[in-house]
Amino acid sequence: MPSERPTADRELRAEVRISAAPEEVWRALTDVRDWPRRSPELQAMLPLKPGGLRAGQWYLGVNRRKAVFWPTRNVVVEVAPDRCLSWDTRTSGVRWIFELERVPDGTRLVHRRPVPARLTLLGRLFARFALGGEVAHADELENGMARTLAAIRRAVEA
């Protein structure tokens, strides 16, 4: 019988329904200054090129888990207003995606990290030795994604 134990290279996913139009959710989602307040792990997301949030923009992410801090290099892949925002974290080899869909009672907001083609060696080693293990960190990330969406929902519905 196959094991039901989660793996680190699975798709991570969280979803929430927000009682507001996609345009309102988009405004909250794309306010990069608020990202650290809504994420349990992200401490800062600093633009490295002029031009604001756009495809091709580079960001330096500063993350924290307990006493461990680490930087990430991120490149925005897609900015489709009211529909999709995604970026690649080059440091670990993963893509982060936010998808918005208009539904009868507002907006369905999905946050996902697809199965990476290949986690970088640095990402695998760092997770194993500094973050409590790859599977444990993936579990924490998925929980953090749900907390981030809940924070966006609270902000928009307030």
Side-chain angles (χ1 to χ4, degrees), residues 44-104:
M45 190 71 126
L46 309 168
L48 297 177
K49 294 170 33 175
L53 184 62
R54 60 178 172 71
Q57 175 61 281
W58 297 1
Y59 283 92
L60 170 67
V62 178
N63 298 291
R64 178 180 183 208
R65 179 184 181 272
K66 299 181 182 175
V68 179
F69 285 85
W70 69 97
T72 59
R73 187 170 70 90
N74 305 279
V75 179
V76 177
V77 176
E78 183 177 4
V79 178
D82 309 331
R83 293 183 298 126
C84 184
L85 172 64
S86 67
W87 67 88
D88 290 339
T89 299
R90 299 284 173 90
T91 315
S92 62
V94 301
R95 177 167 289 178
W96 299 96
I97 302 169
F98 287 92
E99 297 166 315
L100 296 84
E101 177 186 1
R102 186 178 301 275
V103 294

Side-chain angles (χ1 to χ4, degrees), residues 16-29 82-83 99-110 149-158:
V16 68
R17 291 205 180 227
I18 301 173
S19 297
E23 300 82 13
E24 294 175 65
V25 176
W26 181 258
R27 274 193 299 278
L29 173 65
D82 309 331
R83 293 183 298 126
E99 297 166 315
L100 296 84
E101 177 186 1
R102 186 178 301 275
V103 294
D105 59 342
T107 302
R108 181 172 72 105
L109 178 59
V110 175
L149 293 186
I152 292 170
R153 178 182 183 182
R154 283 191 304 276
V156 172
E157 291 181 350

